[in-house]
Amino acid sequence: MTATTLRQPELFATPAQPAPALWIDVAVPLPLRGSFTYSVAQGMTRNVAPGGRVVVPFGRQQLVGYVLECRTTPPRGIELDRVRPVTTVLDDEPVFDPELLRFLRDAAEYYLYPVGEVLRAAAPAVDRREKRSLANDPRAKGKSLRAKWASVREETFVKLAPIAPAPTSATSATASKKTDDPRKARGDKQAQILAILEARGEVSLKELRAHVKTAREVVERLADRGVVEVSRREVPADPFFGKAVHRDTPPSLTGAQAAAAEAIVHAVREHRRESFLLHGVTGSGKTEVYLRAVDAVQRAGRGALILVPEIALTPQLVGRYRARFGDDLAVLHSGLKDTERHAMWRRLHTGECKVAIGARSAVFAPIKDLGLVLVDEEHDPSFKQDDNFRYHGRDLAILRAHRAGAVCVLGSATPSVESFYAANEGRYRLLQLPERATSAPLPAVEIVDLRKVGRRGPTGHDLLSLPLVRAIDETLDRGEQTILFLNRRGFAPSVRCGACDKALECPSCSVALVLHRREGALRCHYCDFTTPFTGVCFKCRSPDVTLIGVGTEKLEQSIISAFPRARVGRLDRDVASGAGAEAVLDKLRRGDIDVLVGTQMVTKGHDFPRVTLVGVIEADAALSLPDFRACERTFQLLAQVAGRAGRKDLSGRVLIQTFQPNHPVLHRARTHDYEGFYEDEVAARRELGYPPFGRIAAIKMDSLDEQRVRDVAEDIARFLREIPECQDGSVKLLGPAPSPIERVRSRTRMQAMLRASERPALRKVLHQLVAELDAHPPPFVRVVVDVDPIHML
């Protein structure tokens, strides 16, 4: 025997430590690309599989990581004595099945984002108890992950207290002076909360805290003064299931609806991997086509995913679904607690529930045997996340459906130029709904030339022209409702100081401060800086200040003043956010509001039978933005808000006020001519090489040090210019240059754009740039690569 053979028994008899049974690649939720190798001991392998979660040592801390690969032999080229063992295995089964894990890894690769961070975004919520147990004892199993669903919970609600009648006797004159205005705010936070309560009626303390962090203390002070009333009561754990709904009967379909539904249902039944673009005018019954598709996929025993651009649209769609199919669905939204979110996730993960509705992050829902993915209002820019993992929910929905072998349906009255181009090129199957489902005609659209009729009508209020005032008056006479659209919050968009000779700007951002009169404050809409406004310049104390422009708050006050008989409401992020918007919309549906003033929150897919007039207060603002999509977004906003008028038996009318009445976009909006707008837009983009005729990526840089970010921007530009694809012109570098909004939160911002006609060349350049940034990260400068950017400001 050889010497080696003689020593083997001794080695096996007294091992230093057991040989690992598995070697696994783990992604950790840190801004680090790639994965890390760990070993798994013999007794821990039973539940280890790709897609599962493990606790691993990383430096001096313990992290929850995600298993990407498992192997029984160590990878080549690795120093085995440096491989650390897994601390514990968290789950009895993987949280991501193979299809979902592959999809998430593809998404991380496409958007050049660390895969561990992507998996953390898609993983089920870990509640605070679980986080504490992992910190105290990293070997503890995640028992608390199996949270139980509670059907009700208690919440605190706040509403305005009734105003006591004023004293009438002469002896109470002194007292009446003291109580002239019991609701007068003492400070901007009280004013903000009172403004919300005046607009909404009763609001939960939880939602008030989303607007004002110290809402609890502010409400207590208001309650002590008798200004508000506070109560506690049980509410449904999920507000979308709080209202009873009556089961509906599927209506008869129009010919176009029937053809569209049949095409989608046939693809579902055949288990085909196919994508559709459902282009239907506003009110054409796209939702009914969605419901027929969901019915087909449920009959086939498969799952469905329905995406909406924001939570404000979710209640309406959930209500339609529950009326047709019952309550067996998961609603994924930001208002859920961790335990509730995990309960929804587990119902989907186990296959107990097979339908999910939610905003963009619902694209990661663990739906079993996915057969259908629906994206409503697919054109909406809200589907693009604008920080951290900068993914596009619509594009990932298409990828998710493709990976799952499912049918994907994109729906919109104003499809994105990229989607309509893809349909014309045959990559999607185009389905058309050219008429409204009720046979009601599209509303008549009139262009009001503010250059001729003037900004002020008979009421004397800015941007209430004579034609618009008459139209509102006539609508009120008929007992019908009006929506006025203005995409600017606040009272005055800017305040100009005559002594300083400039608009009052945020000290941390290069934007004008907006006056919110009810709060008595100037506010920055980018960093939320707030300073009291007392009628003088907060910098030089000069009283020579001028309020410039009109915001929704001022427009609301103007309507109240001009039409005393009207019940006026307002819908913007200052008075409602997320699910809270539904309370305002419910008041409009019930007929408790005659005129609703709002931002783009009022343009999204809502159905109000008695709204017959829509007024667009100023159509020009979006056209002047430094963004190649400015015309597209303006057309979409105008067409969508116009679509709120005359959707049922009453005819609709739309007035668009503008200083550019001959602009081609306004002409196309006036005639409801999407195809004409599309032809105009693709001609301009083809000439410039913008999507869909090219691929783009933005490199965004920012820092607290202005000179440092400028230097890094030039260094990155020099590096890019040396890459062969940039030298031969297959990839073009535009910039770097200061961002249109150069400073936000005291950080100076620069950006550059890479543009290419073919994706592979652009991807090659981006991979080299990311590798360079990973190898040599610039100190004190944040650099972000945004693939397929939507927001260019």
Side-chain angles (χ1 to χ4, degrees), residues 153-157 204-206 231-236:
R153 64 185 180 207
E154 271 202 348
E155 279 196 21
T156 301
F157 288 85
S204 71
L205 181 61
K206 177 182 176 181
S231 60
R232 284 186 66 80
R233 66 172 181 268
E234 287 187 341
V235 297

Side-chain angles (χ1 to χ4, degrees), residues 156-176:
T156 301
F157 288 85
V158 185
K159 65 179 181 180
L160 292 173
I163 299 177
T168 54
S169 66
T171 56
S172 59
T174 305
S176 74

Side-chain angles (χ1 to χ4, degrees), residues 269 294-302:
R269 288 173 179 162
V294 173
D295 181 58
V297 81
Q298 287 189 315
R299 289 177 185 273
R302 304 184 72 190

Side-chain angles (χ1 to χ4, degrees), residues 680-712:
D680 295 342
E681 188 69 9
V682 294
R685 295 196 191 181
R686 183 182 288 111
E687 184 177 347
L688 297 171
Y690 282 120
F693 303 100
R695 301 290 177 177
I696 61 174
I699 298 102
K700 302 179 179 181
M701 301 144 281
D702 62 81
S703 175
L704 294 170
D705 187 325
E706 179 178 351
Q707 188 57 50
R708 196 182 290 268
V709 73
R710 293 183 185 277
D711 292 342
V712 167

